[in-house]
Every structure is written in C-alpha cells, then in structure tokens.
Amino acid sequence: MAAFVLAIDQGTTSTRAIVFDGDYRVKGVGKQEFPQHFPDSGWVEHEPEDIWHTTLETMQYALARAAVSPQDIAAIGITNQRETTLIWDRDTGKPIHRAIVWQDRRTSDRCAALRADGAEDMVRDKTGLLLDPYFSGTKIAWLLDNVEGARAAAEAGKLAFGTVDSFLLWRLTGGKVHATDATNASRTLLYDIAAGDWDDDLLRLFGVPRALLPDVRDSAAHFGETDPDLFGVAIPICGIAGDQHAATVGQSCFTPGMLKSTYGTGCFALLNTGSEIVRSSNRLLSTIAYRLDGKVTYALEGSIFMAGATVQWLRDGLRFFERSDQAGALADHADPNQNVYLVPAFTGLGAPWWDAEARGALYGMTRNTGPAEIARAALEAVCYQTHDLLDAMRRDWTGSSETVLRVDGGMVASDWTMQRLADLLNAPVDRPLVLETTALGAAWLAGHKAGVWPDMQGFSASWKRNRRFMPQMDDDTRQKKLAGWADAIRRTLSA
C-alpha cells in the first residue's frame, strides 16, 4: 500500500496542501492566500467558499507537483485554524454567513456580561478556557441571533455548526459526514474536556442547540472518504486536529514536559501535561493536546493573537518590504540605541492578559525611528510575548525544570528572530529539520491510522533538529529589555 499522505493545512491567511512520502519528506506543496474581511472594528471574517476553493485547488496542485495520482494517496489528514466558526444548511451545504474568524472580537460585550453573571468559573471548570470572544461559543450564538431565521432553523435540525475542519470534512465527503475531533471540540466553550462530551449546561448558557453540533472522534480516526467526483477516487480521511495540536504531534511532543511554540498568524505555545488537566493560576488555557485510541493527553496553552500577522501588517499595511522573509534583515539594521516597543494588540491581547479592548501601540519612538526600528520592535514583540507565556507555564506546572522550546511556523525560518527569541527566553530554541510540522502532524495522524506510517515511538525517533539557537545576550541587557516590555504592556492594557 502506498505510504503517501496528503495533509490539508487550512490557515488564517492561506490554505496549503502538502504531499508527504513514507520518509516524511515533502514531495509537493500547493499554497494560496485568500482575502481577509474586516466589516467593523475588531471584526474579522472569511468567505467560506474561499476556504473551500483554495483547499481543493491546493490539493490538486500538490498532487501535480509531487507527480502522485490520487490513487497513490493512502489517507488525508486535516489541520485547521481553530475557533473560526461556520454554520451551514444541511440540505444545500451553503453557509448562512461568512465565517467568523478566531481573531474576531464582536462578542466581547456578551462575554463581559456572562462574566458579570458569575459564569466564568463554571466555564473554566468544564472547558479549561476563559470567557473570551476568541472561542466559538459566543460566535455561534451571534450567528443564530443575527441571521434571520437561523435560530429556528437550528432548533429544527436544519443547520450544522463546525469549525473549519468540520466544514471541509462535510464538503470533501459530499455532505455525508458531520464530525470533528476532540482537539477542535475543546475550543468551542461547549465541550467538557474531562467528561469528553458536549455539555448541556454550557449549551444552555450560550443558547446553542445540540442539533447543530458535530460528532466528536479521536484525532486519528476514520472520518469518511472523499466524494469520488472530486478526485476520481474515494480517499480515506483519517486524521483531524486543530493547527496547534497538530504541530504538537508534528514536533513529537509526546512526553509530559515537552514544549512547542508555533509562529504563524498568531503564536501558540503548548506544554504537554500528560493525563493531568492542569488548572492555570495565570490565565493560561487547559486544553486537549490530542486524543488517540480514546485516551486524552492534555496541555497548557498560551495564545498570542498577532505574530506573523504583525509582519504581514508591516508588509501590506506599512509597505516596509515586499516579502515577509525580509523582516529579519530589516530589523538587523535597527539602531541599537533606540528602545522601541510595539504591542501588537490589533485585535486585543491574548494570554496571559486576555484584554479584548486593548489596541496596538508603539512606544519609545524618536525622530530617528524608522522602518528598521519598527520591524525590530515587531519581531521582538513575538519574543517578549513568548517569554510571558513560558514564565506563566513555569509558575503553573513544575513537572520539568529545564526548558527547550521546539519551534515551527513561517516565522522560524528567520535566524534573526529565533536568535532573539533564545536571547530573551534565556533558553535553547530548537528548529526542526522539517519545518512543515503542523501539516506533518496531521499527516502522521492520518498515515498511522491508515496503517502506512509507524506508531508514536517510531515517529518520535524520526524527529531531527535543523539548528539549536543558544542565548547570547547578557543578563543586564535582557532584564532591561524585559522591563521595558512590561512597562509597554502596562500602558496598553485597557483597564
């Protein structure tokens, strides 16, 4: 049987499809960016058909580049932007509204009202999450309450909710399968991560009919087969995981204490805590890392909303450079005597502050401040925020005293950024040989379930490091820079 696996990596600003061979080598890649829609301040939307069409086209392109036919693909794995919320008609498959993206803050007032009513303790106990518009629950309620006829149709069982994985699974299977995996379910505010099921108390709290919800399966499971009309053959879909969970798998972070951080549109650090649900005292999230063979592995997570998206803003909004990979070279030319800080709270601040009303700010500018200094501040902001996440994790969980951070995502190709990250963390940073770790994680889930790729131990043994970045900054400089960042954050917080 062929060992080729096709991974769909459906992200916030682009869709990618990657064909891997049995040695985890990338054989073909398709990538397309798609538009972002900002209909109001703090609102972010996607056209669902853009998501669907870019998925199909990148899959076809990746197959062509790999010179592999659909018949040669043993399985498909899907990884996706999490929390992004879609509702569609079960009969027609047509979405009732644009997708509301995870970055969207339109339900801030609803979350604040629920907190004022004392609901957050119950929500945290069951879901491991905070009451924040980041998650899907209040997005679903907004759609039901603001699209004419939607609530009545949902209660009648005529509509389906899904995060992007569920939407793609529905479309790929020709509307035959409405399902998700435990990692995506755990990000909805509707799923009890200890009980492993949708929770009636949460459904009542958010006003979400159970009839809307998908079936929840393991991250490696038989999710169905593609409609033969799409590729000329029915291809098994055997793996689904939210992007950060797939990256945890792709980085082989299977042992409690292992830590990874992904630098894509946002930045997300996950610490494997094994079978233990660690309740954070520092406003981190308790989440499901993955579920395999019915067994759940948990994690602590810190979420940063703006990482690569900040570089994209420098590129497209300020036009500092033509390609995102030029940011590091520009930052390297910054005046070392200027202390400029960018707090990229364009859509609020994530962990550990969770301030939905904060907005982006630049501090420390002089008449000599230019694109190089602002580019450096943008890249350093990602490093500072990672420092804050790891500091909170160390205070929440003492299972490991040594921190080696495994990194992935588009930003890690920048040596300048990774060196500055190691400097500000005062810890080693390991960049893997295979940078496509999110897609690789989805591919392993699918390939292992299909029986063509090895088990967890065999996959872990294949992980290889491209480079380790060691701290080089002196402690006095590090502490001064961290103190300046802490002051910038204090000035930016809304309350």
Side-chain angles (χ1 to χ4, degrees), residues 358-472:
R359 289 296 177 264
L362 266 169
Y363 299 99
M365 290 188 292
T366 71
R367 284 288 300 274
N368 291 326
T369 299
E373 288 72 33
I374 296 173
R376 182 185 64 189
L379 297 179
E380 286 184 333
V382 177
C383 305
Y384 289 130
Q385 290 178 100
T386 306
H387 171 273
D388 293 344
L389 295 182
L390 269 58
D391 181 62
M393 286 178 173
R394 291 189 188 102
R395 286 182 277 129
D396 276 334
W397 195 74
T398 57
S400 176
S401 59
E402 181 181 353
T403 299
V404 176
L405 181 64
R406 289 187 173 183
V407 296
D408 56 85
M411 292 187 73
V412 307
S414 168
D415 289 355
W416 190 95
T417 307
M418 292 302 97
Q419 183 57 56
R420 187 53 53 98
L421 180 62
D423 288 341
L424 292 173
L425 296 181
N426 195 28
V429 171
D430 280 358
R431 183 170 63 194
L433 187 63
V434 178
L435 293 180
E436 307 289 356
T437 50
T438 302
L440 180 60
W444 177 77
L445 291 169
H448 174 56
K449 185 64 180 179
V452 298
W453 282 17
D455 61 12
M456 188 181 292
Q457 289 72 28
F459 182 63
S460 296
S462 72
W463 189 92
K464 292 182 175 61
R465 184 171 63 213
N466 163 261
R467 179 174 171 183
R468 170 168 286 183
F469 296 86
M470 295 297 295
Q472 297 176 359

Side-chain angles (χ1 to χ4, degrees), residues 185 290 296 346 417 439:
Y290 46 84
V296 176
F346 299 102
T417 307

Side-chain angles (χ1 to χ4, degrees), residues 48-326:
E49 299 305 329
D50 288 343
I51 293 174
W52 172 238
H53 290 305
T54 57
T55 298
L56 273 186
E57 289 166 12
T58 55
M59 292 172 74
Q60 292 162 348
Y61 189 81
L63 289 168
R65 293 291 294 174
V68 169
S69 72
Q71 290 85 350
D72 295 324
I73 300 298
I76 293 172
I78 301 173
T79 183
N80 56 286
Q81 51 169 315
R82 305 172 302 170
E83 297 94 17
T84 294
T85 299
L86 299 99
I87 296 178
W88 61 92
D89 185 289
R90 289 182 181 273
D91 289 334
T92 67
K94 183 179 179 181
I96 65 171
H97 190 275
R98 281 177 178 166
I100 302 180
V101 179
W102 57 272
Q103 298 162 313
D104 189 281
R105 314 304 285 173
R106 76 186 65 188
T107 60
S108 294
D109 289 346
R110 175 63 175 150
C111 291
L114 289 169
R115 283 195 296 271
D117 289 343
E120 187 159 63
D121 285 346
M122 186 264 282
V123 169
R124 290 196 68 182
D125 287 346
K126 289 178 179 287
T127 70
L129 309 177
L130 301 172
L131 268 173
D132 190 88
Y134 172 33
F135 306 107
S136 306
T138 54
K139 293 178 168 67
I140 300 170
W142 189 93
L143 288 168
L144 295 181
D145 293 335
N146 286 273
V147 176
E148 185 176 356
R151 183 165 290 283
E155 291 171 351
K158 296 179 179 179
L159 301 181
F161 151 74
T163 42
V164 170
D165 59 300
S166 293
F167 176 66
L168 291 179
L169 181 64
W170 178 277
R171 287 287 180 93
L172 286 167
T173 60
K176 292 180 180 178
V177 183
H178 184 211
T180 188
D181 89 301
T183 68
N184 280 292
S186 75
R187 312 297 295 191
T188 61
L189 288 175
L190 306 174
Y191 188 81
D192 186 324
I193 62 172
D197 197 4
W198 303 115
D199 184 85
D200 288 331
D201 292 335
L202 295 169
L203 295 179
R204 280 191 293 270
L205 179 68
F206 293 103
V208 175
R210 183 178 278 269
L212 269 178
L213 302 177
D215 178 44
V216 181
R217 303 179 185 176
D218 285 354
S219 304
H222 290 292
F223 287 95
E225 296 180 336
T226 61
D227 185 333
D229 288 342
L230 293 175
F231 301 103
V233 64
I235 307 173
I237 303 167
C238 295
I240 292 179
D243 51 11
Q244 306 314 315
H245 316 268
T248 302
V249 170
Q251 290 278 32
S252 300
C253 290
F254 295 128
T255 303
M258 294 187 74
L259 176 67
K260 75 90 197 173
S261 190
T262 298
Y263 298 92
T265 299
C267 165
F268 303 87
L270 265 73
L271 173 70
N272 184 324
T273 62
S275 60
E276 178 186 5
I277 302 176
V278 175
R279 305 294 183 177
S280 176
S281 300
N282 297 283
R283 297 180 66 76
L284 299 177
L285 307 176
S286 306
T287 196
I288 292 175
Y290 46 84
R291 193 176 89 186
L292 300 174
D293 299 322
K295 181 181 178 182
V296 176
T297 295
Y298 295 97
L300 270 177
E301 177 177 332
S303 309
I304 297 169
F305 297 155
M306 300 290 289
T310 307
V311 177
Q312 191 177 51
W313 170 68
L314 296 180
R315 183 193 70 189
D316 300 340
L318 301 185
R319 302 188 184 279
F320 282 179
F321 36 75
E322 294 182 353
R323 302 191 319 273
S324 294
D325 60 8
Q326 295 171 314

